Amino acid sequence: MGHPEILVIDDETAIRRLLEITLQSNGYSVTHAATGKAGLIEAARRSPDLIILDLGLPDESGHETLKKLREWSSRPIIILSVHSHEKDIIAALDNGANDYLVKPFRTGELLARIRSALRGTGPEDTRPLISFGAFEIDLSARTVKKGSESLKLTATQYALLALFGRNEGKVLTHQYLLREIWGADHIDQLQYLRVFIAQLRKKIEKDPNRPEHILTESGIGYRFIGEP
Amino acid sequence: MFWSHHFVPFSRISKMSRKWQYGISMLVLITISAICFALSPYMAPQLVAFILLLALSLIAMFFDILPVLLSALVSALIWDYFFLLPRYNLRVGNTGDRILLSMYFVIALVNAVLTFKIRQMEKEARDKEEKAKTLKLYNTLLNSLSHEFRTPIATIIGATDNLLAEPSRLTGTDSRRLLTEISRASMRLNRQVENLLNTSRLESGFIRPRKEWCDLRELISSTIQHLDEWIGRHLVKVEIRKGFPLVRLDYGLMEQVLTNLVYNAALYTPAGSTIRITADCEDENLIIIVEDNGPGLPPAEIDKVFDKFYRPELARTGGVGLGLSIVKGFVEAHSGAIELKNIPAGGARFVIRMPVEKLSIKQTGKWVTPKY
């Protein structure tokens, strides 16, 4: 792959210019569009490696653009928006966005999210081994090792950690995690998640009070980071 | 003009629907007339007239003009029919009584109209006062906003002018310092905008906590992590016992509460001070304490800190004075209360007390087993 191409759909010239400078100087090639319609056309014509999408577009809601994009494209989409309301963010993630950042954002954060979204490209991560920090998850043997020692986890703790491992860098909403681990009948039982996240942090974080791997996305869900 | 200020419950009467106002005023007239009627062997009809006028004045104080006018008419008829001789008909015996009856009617009307006018004037005065208050608040807001926004904007404009105009005259260190100032100023602006947005959310009354089960330890630690770049020179200690139950709170609102309290503590204490966060449960209440070992507050200012736009005298650092009023608003949205006290040994202590539902971690054993 040469320079990964990023399509920026945002109506603010200042933001487009900022992103163009930031992204180009970090080795990406950039195209942009100022409206949802133009964005869809650009996305179809150039098939970029990643799309950065603003939710407040002049011609249609970014949520609409997102849905239309997701009808045919599985490329990573990062939402960039001034709306910091949890509902908005959860809706975007449910509609297939890979990640979100609220404006104003820090450049370092944006670049990290782009790297992690590009890494996860592909329909499903099928690696049998996922390693992070001093740990290694063996998905086929359903075990987790710390160095050469095996880490004792309950079935639920393992399921949660494996799910995180397969979705590294991605925000997983509370509802998604509950549905995947406990089933659709339990998507409101946030208490399950809180308890098991606390247990898991105790086992894999150096300091459970300053987690580096399982990060809280307040009001939305959790994000797993392999290498902080 | 005293009544509506002092007799708060009565002001509610005047907001009653017209139907009720008619009913109640008639009931009052009939009751008083019946009592007078029972006592009529001992009372002159003129005395009854005065008593009815008194009742009418009271009715006029609280009710709308139409029920009052109707009451004036009805009371005149009652007086004529039941009390004025000859009784039990509307005829009036002599000229003196005829004059009395017309006088009664005129006094009743004037009474009703005057009281109504006074009430209207009073309402206008109140509206005016309210407007003046709003205007004053608005001016305070504008003043502190223009200061709080212009300072960082001035920094940004000044620094960028320097960087753009003569880049060659600046040393590398100078450019870096200017860029750092720009970055700081924009973060300060961002924080102010955040506070303004939260204040307007509170003002609009739209804050309804979206309560969900929260791990308080997680809430506190993620708050501290987000504040890293502001509290780097302070020591933050968290005290929360093992096996602390889950509590039902609005995660986002409470994160904002803790953020503002910890940020505030870091802002007003010297570098190297300790900020201590303690959580505990007491009966049905959750207690969260945020305290520092800084200089504390002048006793005279303690009551004012939660007021909007309050800034401590001699404040050296920025802030529009919205942070703590937001804290108070969000805590109250959870039906809780917050108080500030100086610690005798030095420092300020904020104590939040709010009723919460709890879920013991031990109960989690009974939960459904996952799909796996």
Side-chain angles (χ1 to χ4, degrees):
Chain A
M1 207 156 46
H3 294 297
E5 184 171 336
I6 296 180
L7 168 63
V8 176
I9 309 177
D10 195 311
D11 61 321
E12 293 285 344
T13 323
I15 295 284
R16 285 204 308 270
R17 203 170 291 147
L18 170 72
L19 287 177
E20 188 174 338
I21 295 169
T22 310
L23 297 176
Q24 277 175 354
S25 63
N26 280 280
Y28 299 102
S29 74
V30 181
T31 44
H32 30 71
T35 61
K37 277 202 187 87
L40 283 168
I41 294 169
E42 279 303 285
R45 205 172 58 187
R46 309 189 65 104
S47 167
D49 298 290
L50 185 142
I51 298 169
I52 294 177
L53 175 66
D54 177 23
L55 283 186
L57 295 169
D59 56 338
E60 60 181 15
S61 145
H63 288 289
E64 286 304 311
T65 319
L66 174 62
K67 276 188 214 157
K68 288 179 195 162
L69 279 169
R70 270 293 171 253
E71 282 166 15
W72 52 271
S73 166
S74 61
R75 291 290 158 86
I77 299 176
I78 296 179
I79 300 292
L80 202 57
S81 159
V82 285
H83 300 280
S84 57
H85 207 277
E86 294 139 12
K87 265 193 204 151
D88 257 331
I89 295 166
I90 292 174
L93 292 171
D94 281 347
N95 286 336
N98 295 58
D99 208 337
Y100 74 94
L101 269 176
V102 175
K103 288 177 194 165
F105 53 90
R106 307 303 293 268
T107 311
E109 193 67 37
L110 173 70
L111 292 171
R113 303 288 179 88
I114 291 175
R115 277 195 300 275
S116 122
L118 285 173
R119 214 184 303 137
T121 316
E124 177 81 358
D125 200 338
T126 49
R127 289 175 298 163
L129 286 176
I130 299 167
S131 53
F132 67 94
F135 298 90
E136 193 176 66
I137 311 174
D138 185 335
L139 292 175
S140 54
R142 303 172 66 84
T143 54
V144 180
K145 275 187 181 163
K146 183 183 183 183
S148 56
E149 264 173 76
S150 83
L151 186 70
K152 276 208 174 114
L153 292 177
T154 66
T156 313
Q157 290 166 359
Y158 169 79
L160 199 55
L161 184 58
L163 187 59
F164 276 134
R166 284 199 302 269
N167 293 282
E168 212 219 302
K170 223 173 143 181
V171 201
L172 304 178
T173 62
H174 296 140
Q175 286 79 0
Y176 174 81
L177 289 165
L178 286 162
R179 193 184 317 119
E180 289 298 305
I181 306 286
W182 282 276
D185 296 344
H186 300 280
I187 54 168
D188 295 328
Q189 314 292 320
L190 187 52
Q191 66 273 32
Y192 300 178
L193 202 52
R194 297 291 192 206
V195 168
F196 281 96
I197 292 285
Q199 292 173 354
L200 209 49
R201 276 179 175 154
K202 244 179 243 164
K203 293 197 174 169
I204 66 165
E205 299 285 0
K206 266 185 230 132
D207 177 359
N209 287 327
R210 298 185 75 81
E212 294 177 319
H213 295 300
I214 303 176
L215 306 185
T216 306
E217 296 287 318
S218 112
I220 294 160
Y222 291 94
R223 179 198 302 275
F224 181 77
I225 301 289
E227 309 300 330
Chain B
M1 289 225 233
F2 62 90
W3 47 85
S4 62
H5 283 299
H6 294 269
F7 303 147
V8 182
F10 288 136
S11 66
R12 239 177 274 152
I13 297 177
S14 57
K15 286 188 193 109
M16 271 196 262
S17 78
R18 272 283 166 77
K19 231 201 235 160
W20 276 98
Q21 293 194 9
Y22 283 114
I24 289 174
S25 48
M26 288 305 115
L27 198 71
V28 168
L29 284 182
I30 290 167
T31 315
I32 288 174
S33 313
I35 294 170
C36 291
F37 189 74
L39 297 172
S40 62
Y42 315 104
M43 283 171 127
Q46 286 83 351
L47 181 57
V48 177
F50 275 110
I51 293 176
L52 284 173
L53 275 178
L54 181 67
L56 200 63
S57 312
L58 287 175
I59 291 172
M61 270 161 64
F62 303 118
F63 291 164
D64 288 345
I65 186 80
L66 284 178
V68 172
L69 287 179
L70 181 74
S71 304
L73 183 68
V74 170
S75 70
L77 291 176
I78 288 177
W79 187 55
D80 181 11
Y81 192 84
F82 290 101
F83 298 97
L84 210 55
L85 297 172
R87 293 171 87 167
Y88 311 123
N89 61 47
L90 290 176
R91 266 185 291 129
V92 183
N94 57 47
T95 321
D97 281 351
R98 224 169 276 147
I99 295 173
L100 259 185
L101 180 63
S102 348
M103 291 275 280
Y104 176 92
F105 194 63
V106 171
I107 292 175
L109 278 183
V110 168
N111 194 343
V113 171
L114 279 185
T115 320
F116 181 74
K117 274 204 167 154
I118 290 177
R119 271 177 41 202
Q120 264 192 333
M121 274 160 62
E122 194 212 19
K123 191 173 168 283
E124 270 165 34
R126 234 186 0 240
D127 287 352
K128 226 181 197 172
E129 209 176 292
E130 199 87 345
K131 252 185 214 155
K133 237 196 227 158
T134 318
L135 203 67
K136 200 175 152 212
L137 208 64
Y138 191 66
N139 281 335
T140 326
L141 171 73
L142 279 184
N143 279 339
S144 55
L145 275 190
S146 57
H147 172 260
E148 273 317 305
F149 279 66
R150 277 195 168 144
T151 314
I153 291 173
T155 313
I156 294 173
I157 293 178
T160 42
D161 280 350
N162 263 312
L163 288 165
L164 288 172
E166 313 250 2
S168 55
R169 268 169 40 184
L170 295 168
T171 64
T173 340
D174 282 343
S175 319
R176 230 192 128 71
R177 272 167 64 194
L178 288 176
L179 288 168
T180 311
E181 285 306 321
I182 295 174
S183 163
R184 273 223 192 108
S186 14
M187 303 235 260
R188 187 168 155 191
L189 274 177
N190 190 37
R191 186 163 284 278
Q192 301 300 3
V193 171
E194 194 78 23
N195 276 338
L196 270 184
L197 286 177
N198 278 326
T199 304
S200 84
R201 271 174 82 195
L202 273 171
E203 295 280 296
S204 66
F206 276 141
I207 300 244
R208 209 163 289 140
R210 207 168 56 94
K211 291 189 187 171
E212 51 181 32
W213 290 110
C214 297
D215 178 350
L216 208 60
R217 194 185 294 273
E218 174 183 24
L219 194 141
I220 294 173
S221 56
S222 80
T223 305
I224 296 172
Q225 263 181 320
H226 289 155
L227 279 169
D228 250 356
E229 52 190 297
W230 303 95
I231 55 176
R233 284 155 20 135
H234 286 75
L235 187 65
V236 182
K237 283 189 177 166
V238 179
E239 279 170 34
I240 177 166
R241 73 180 146 81
K242 255 192 175 167
F244 198 82
L246 296 181
V247 285
R248 259 169 76 82
L249 307 163
D250 186 309
Y251 193 101
L253 293 188
M254 285 312 289
E255 195 177 36
Q256 195 67 55
V257 165
L258 282 177
T259 302
N260 286 8
L261 285 177
V262 174
Y263 176 76
N264 199 65
L267 202 61
Y268 293 112
T269 55
S273 309
T274 305
I275 302 168
R276 189 187 304 271
I277 307 169
T278 320
D280 208 345
C281 279
E282 208 172 78
D283 301 324
E284 298 306 304
N285 285 319
L286 168 68
I287 318 273
I288 303 175
I289 300 173
V290 178
E291 57 194 341
D292 59 59
N293 60 355
L297 275 114
E301 298 194 26
I302 283 191
D303 290 338
K304 289 187 252 164
V305 292
F306 296 109
D307 292 352
K308 229 178 295 166
F309 310 125
Y310 162 80
R311 292 179 64 198
E313 302 200 2
L314 311 171
R316 54 188 172 88
T317 14
V320 199
L322 290 175
L324 288 181
S325 76
I326 292 170
V327 166
K328 184 165 181 261
F330 284 3
V331 168
E332 282 172 358
H334 281 84
S335 320
I338 180 165
E339 60 172 354
L340 164 64
K341 277 194 183 132
N342 273 334
I343 305 171
R349 172 186 285 150
F350 289 89
V351 181
I352 297 172
R353 194 178 293 265
M354 54 169 68
V356 284
E357 281 175 70
K358 284 172 286 190
L359 184 67
S360 155
I361 307 265
K362 281 179 199 143
Q363 280 171 258
T364 56
K366 293 183 215 138
W367 289 348
V368 283
T369 1
K371 291 198 295 190
Y372 292 79

